[in-house]
Amino acid sequence: MEETNYAELLPKNPPEGVTDWLRKSGKLGGDYIIYKCGTALNPDTGKNVRVVDCHCTACNKTFPAEYVKSDNGSRFAPFGFKDPSTGETVISAKDYYICPECKKPVRVYHSSNMGTHSGGSKMGYAHPLTIHNINGNLAMLCWYIERRIDRGGKERINKSPYYGYLFTPTKKVCFSGRETGFFSTYFTGDWKRLKKFEDKLGGFTKDQIYPWDASILNGTVAENSKLDMYVSCDDTVYPVSYMSLYRRFPNVENLIMSGWVKYLNWKIADTKSYSGSCPKIGRIKGLNLRMAKPTEMLGLNKEEMRYIKTHKWSNERIDVYGCTKGQGVTLEGVGELMKKYSACEITELTGTGANIPRALRYVDKQKAKYRKEHPKTYYCPINTRYLGDYWNMAKLNGDNLSDDSIRYPHRLETAHDNAAELIKLKKAEEKNEAFVRRYKQLEKYCYENNGLLIRPAASGTEFIEEGKKLKHCVASYADWHASGQTTIFFIRKADKPNEPHYTLEYDFDRMYIVQNRGYKNQDPPEEVKDFAAEWDKRVKAIAQGKIKTTSKKQSKENKRSAA
C-alpha cells in the first residue's frame, strides 16, 4: 500500500488576502519616493534643463522636482531635490517626508541606494502563519513573503513556502520549503517532507497569525483542541508545539477550559533552551499530562486552585508552590519565600530529592562562610546551581546522597572541588584505557634496527611530553590516536628509548607515512628516513601476512616453554 504524498496536498501559495493584510500592518515596509536625475524642457528658453524625477510608491505617480547638489559627498547621494511647497532640500535618507502628490508619509531614496539584484531592494519581509483544513487534516503553514522595489519604483512581492505542519488522524508531518546550498539557503517554491518532526518556528504574536475561523477545526483531529482559545491567550504563543502536545495528551484541553491556558503557554515556552527559540514539549515539568482532571495535572486541590486564581498568582509563584508544598511551605508562606529567594533559585532544586527550604538555608550559610573566608573577594560562586552541580557530581562518583553529611558537607566549596577532581581522574583513567587498548593493537609494529627503534604511543602523557620536547603539535592528535582516527608512532634512539627524537603519523587505510617530524617540525635526516622506509615495508608485509608477529608477552611465554 502506497503512502499518501502529503506534500502534494499543501497549497504552494498563501491565501490571497495575506499580502494586503501584511501591508496594512506595516510588516512589508512603508511607502517610498525613489528619485533619479532627469531632464525637462524649459518653456522660457526652449532648452532641456536638469531636474529630478521622483516616483512615489504610495500613489504610483512620478513628478519632477528642482535639482539640488548635495554637499554630503557619497554618504547618501550626489544630489537631492527641493520640496516644491517648503523649499527645503531633500536628500536620500531614511527620514520621513510627505509626498506632495498624495500627502502620505514616505521615505526618500536615491536610485543608487536601491539594489539591482533579485528584483531590487528588500524593503520588508514577514513570516505569517496560516491555518487550513485540508481534506479533514489540520495544516499550519508558515510562509516567507518579501516586498522588493527596484530603481524605477516598481514593486515586486515574492511568496515562498517556509515551514509547514500537517496533523492527520494517525500522523504529524513536517515540511520545509527551503534547501541548503553550498554557500547559502534558498527557497524552492515547493514543499518537501522532513524526516523528523520538530517545531522549527517557535513563537508567534497575534499579528503574525492570519485571521481564521474556529470552524476550520471541524472534522479534523484538532476539533476539540481549543486551538482558537490557545492562540489568543497571550502575547506570544506556540501553535505548532501546542498541537503536538495535544496530539500526545488530548486531555490538555481540560486545562484550557478550566482557565489555566496562560500557565500552560508559559510551561511550553519554558522548555526552550538557553540559545534556542523553539520549545521542546518533551521537557515540560510540573504538569502530569497523563491525568485527566486539571487538579491532577497541576498537583493542586480545588481550594488551592481557587486561592491562586483569586490572588492572581504569577506563573513563577505557581511553580514555586508546586515544588515546595509538600515540604512545609503554605499558600501564605510562598510570598515570604520568594521575597528572600528568586523563583529560579528555588525551582533549580526541583527533582533533586532534597528538601528545598532546607537546601536554600544551607546555601545561605555556605555563602556567609565563603565571604568570611574571602573578605576581599566580591564574587561568590556558591548558589543553588553550584549546590546542584555538586550533587550531580556526587551521584556520578557513587556517593550516597541520603547521608546528610554527603548531601550537606561542612564546606561546600571543598566538597565541590573534590568531586570535580575525582570525575577528572575517572575520565583520565577511561582515556588511558583507550591508549592501552590502542597500544596492544599496534604493538606488533614495534621495530628496532641500526640504533633506532619505533613504537606506538602508550599514553596521553607521552603525547604531551613529545610535543613539549620537540616543540610541535602532536599533543593535539592524542584523542584522534586513542579513537583510531589516526595512528602516531615515536621514533627513538635505541640507547635513549624514553627521549623524544622523531614523531611519525601513519595512515593504515592507505598504508603510507603521512608525516615524520622532528624538533620544530624539521624533516628527518637520511638515516631516519631510511629507517622509516624499512619499517614501512615491514608494516605492509605484516598486513599482507608475509611476516607473522607475536606480542612481547607471547614471545616470553614461548621462550619459557622452549626452555
Side-chain angles (χ1 to χ4, degrees):
M1 183 176 179
E2 292 185 5
E3 188 176 4
T4 305
N5 187 346
Y6 293 107
E8 290 185 353
L9 299 177
L10 305 183
K12 303 299 186 294
N13 289 293
E16 290 184 5
V18 171
T19 302
D20 292 336
W21 173 69
L22 290 171
R23 193 193 297 273
K24 287 178 182 178
S25 64
K27 292 190 179 299
L28 295 182
D31 288 301
Y32 308 87
I33 281 182
I34 314 298
Y35 72 92
K36 60 184 178 180
C37 189
T39 58
L41 182 67
N42 187 331
D44 296 332
T45 63
K47 295 181 179 180
N48 286 332
V49 294
R50 182 185 290 177
V51 296
V52 174
D53 290 333
C54 302
H55 179 83
C56 176
T57 63
C59 56
N60 203 28
K61 292 181 180 179
T62 301
F63 59 91
E66 185 179 341
Y67 179 96
V68 179
K69 189 173 182 180
S70 169
D71 58 355
N72 288 325
S74 60
R75 183 181 175 190
F76 297 120
F79 62 90
F81 62 91
K82 186 175 288 187
D83 187 325
S85 57
T86 65
E88 295 181 358
T89 300
V90 181
I91 303 294
S92 179
K94 294 183 179 180
D95 294 332
Y96 278 109
Y97 171 68
I98 302 299
C99 173
E101 294 290 325
C102 61
K103 307 303 180 185
K104 290 184 178 180
V106 293
R107 294 181 187 270
V108 179
Y109 284 95
H110 180 257
S111 61
S112 64
N113 298 136
M114 306 300 291
T116 57
H117 300 287
S118 303
S121 291
K122 183 165 65 175
M123 312 309 287
Y125 69 95
H127 295 98
L129 183 73
T130 59
I131 300 175
H132 312 258
N133 183 332
I134 300 177
N135 299 341
N137 303 311
L138 178 69
M140 293 183 179
L141 306 179
C142 186
W143 310 88
Y144 176 77
I145 300 179
E146 68 174 16
R147 179 183 176 219
R148 290 182 175 271
I149 297 178
D150 63 17
R151 292 186 171 186
K154 186 178 179 181
E155 180 182 278
R156 176 180 174 184
I157 303 292
N158 295 327
K159 308 172 187 178
S160 300
Y162 187 53
Y163 280 111
Y165 297 86
L166 189 70
F167 297 90
T168 77
T170 58
K171 293 183 179 181
K172 50 182 184 178
V173 193
C174 179
F175 306 88
S176 175
R178 307 191 306 166
E179 287 285 349
T180 302
F182 190 74
F183 293 107
S184 62
T185 300
Y186 61 95
F187 293 96
T188 63
D190 207 346
W191 295 107
K192 178 183 178 182
R193 183 172 176 176
L194 301 178
K195 292 181 180 179
K196 184 179 179 181
F197 184 97
E198 61 180 331
D199 185 350
K200 293 179 176 290
L201 296 175
F204 285 86
T205 55
K206 292 177 183 178
D207 60 351
Q208 291 177 306
I209 301 175
Y210 187 60
W212 59 290
D213 191 276
S215 61
I216 287 175
L217 304 178
N218 294 338
T220 70
V221 292
E223 188 168 3
N224 298 317
S225 67
K226 306 299 179 286
L227 177 64
D228 54 327
M229 295 175 65
Y230 172 75
V231 297
S232 60
C233 75
D234 216 333
D235 294 333
T236 301
V237 292
Y238 307 86
V240 174
S241 288
Y242 168 74
M243 271 310 302
S244 185
L245 183 67
Y246 173 77
R247 281 298 306 275
R248 189 175 175 187
F249 303 107
N251 288 331
V252 76
E253 66 173 354
N254 298 334
L255 209 55
I256 294 178
M257 293 300 293
S258 60
W260 290 77
V261 61
K262 274 200 171 187
Y263 181 68
L264 173 65
N265 186 53
W266 183 75
K267 296 297 283 185
I268 292 174
D270 196 42
T271 63
K272 294 186 293 184
S273 64
Y274 178 77
S275 58
S277 60
C278 299
K280 304 289 183 184
I281 61 168
R283 299 176 184 168
I284 291 181
K285 295 179 181 179
L287 287 178
N288 189 352
L289 295 172
R290 297 186 183 279
M291 307 306 291
K293 297 179 180 179
T295 52
E296 296 170 335
M297 289 189 227
L298 296 165
L300 303 170
N301 58 43
K302 290 182 179 179
E303 289 75 18
E304 290 169 333
M305 290 174 67
R306 278 197 292 269
Y307 184 93
I308 289 169
K309 280 190 175 182
T310 302
H311 291 82
K312 298 179 180 179
W313 275 16
S314 67
N315 296 319
E316 290 86 354
R317 180 169 289 198
I318 297 170
D319 260 14
V320 168
Y321 180 68
C323 66
T324 58
K325 61 174 287 190
Q327 300 175 343
V329 177
T330 63
L331 286 165
E332 295 78 11
V334 174
E336 292 300 318
L337 188 67
M338 292 186 70
K339 283 180 183 178
K340 194 172 183 181
Y341 308 101
S342 70
C344 182
E345 284 181 298
I346 299 168
T347 55
E348 269 183 345
L349 296 171
T350 305
T352 59
N355 181 287
I356 293 176
R358 180 183 177 184
L360 292 169
R361 292 192 297 271
Y362 171 76
V363 168
D364 283 346
K365 290 178 181 178
Q366 291 297 316
K367 281 182 180 178
K369 187 177 290 188
Y370 182 90
R371 289 194 175 105
K372 186 177 180 181
E373 294 173 354
H374 305 81
K376 296 182 180 180
T377 303
Y378 175 77
Y379 172 72
C380 176
I382 296 174
N383 52 31
T384 53
R385 180 168 293 178
Y386 190 85
L387 177 61
D389 287 344
Y390 161 68
W391 285 342
N392 289 333
M393 290 188 291
K395 284 180 184 177
L396 292 173
N397 291 331
D399 294 334
N400 182 13
L401 289 175
S402 61
D403 185 344
D404 274 6
S405 63
I406 295 175
R407 185 175 282 279
Y408 303 108
H410 178 66
R411 289 189 80 260
L412 177 58
E413 182 188 9
T414 303
H416 180 280
D417 292 347
N418 289 341
E421 192 61 33
L422 185 56
I423 284 179
K424 282 182 183 178
L425 290 172
K426 285 186 175 181
K427 286 183 177 179
E429 287 175 5
E430 291 172 2
K431 189 174 285 188
N432 193 54
E433 287 177 5
F435 279 108
V436 171
R437 287 194 300 271
R438 195 87 171 102
Y439 183 86
K440 289 179 179 178
Q441 294 170 358
L442 301 169
E443 189 179 9
K444 59 186 176 183
Y445 300 113
C446 292
Y447 179 63
E448 183 176 337
N449 191 24
N450 293 332
L452 295 172
L453 64 85
I454 185 169
R455 65 171 178 81
S459 69
T461 306
E462 281 197 333
F463 274 87
I464 296 171
E465 290 301 316
E466 188 88 355
K468 282 182 179 179
K469 293 285 179 65
L470 298 182
K471 296 190 182 300
H472 56 38
C473 60
V474 71
S476 63
Y477 289 70
D479 289 342
W480 295 344
H481 173 85
S483 63
Q485 294 179 60
T486 192
T487 308
I488 302 297
F489 288 89
F490 297 147
I491 297 176
R492 305 282 170 84
K493 292 181 179 179
D495 56 349
K496 296 178 181 179
N498 296 320
E499 186 176 318
H501 190 40
Y502 281 86
T503 311
L504 183 144
E505 181 184 5
Y506 198 79
D507 186 336
F508 275 98
D509 291 330
R510 290 176 287 181
M511 299 300 289
Y512 83 105
I513 297 170
V514 178
Q515 56 182 329
N516 186 5
R517 302 295 180 196
Y519 183 72
K520 292 185 177 180
N521 283 315
Q522 292 178 355
D523 288 331
E526 289 302 319
E527 62 268 19
V528 175
K529 285 183 180 179
D530 293 343
F531 172 78
E534 289 175 13
W535 174 80
D536 183 32
K537 290 178 183 178
R538 179 180 172 83
V539 169
K540 290 182 172 67
I542 293 172
Q544 294 168 3
K546 295 179 181 179
I547 299 177
K548 292 185 178 181
T549 61
T550 55
S551 66
K552 291 181 179 179
K553 182 178 179 181
Q554 188 63 45
S555 297
K556 288 179 181 178
E557 289 177 356
N558 291 342
K559 287 180 181 178
R560 289 196 195 102
S561 60

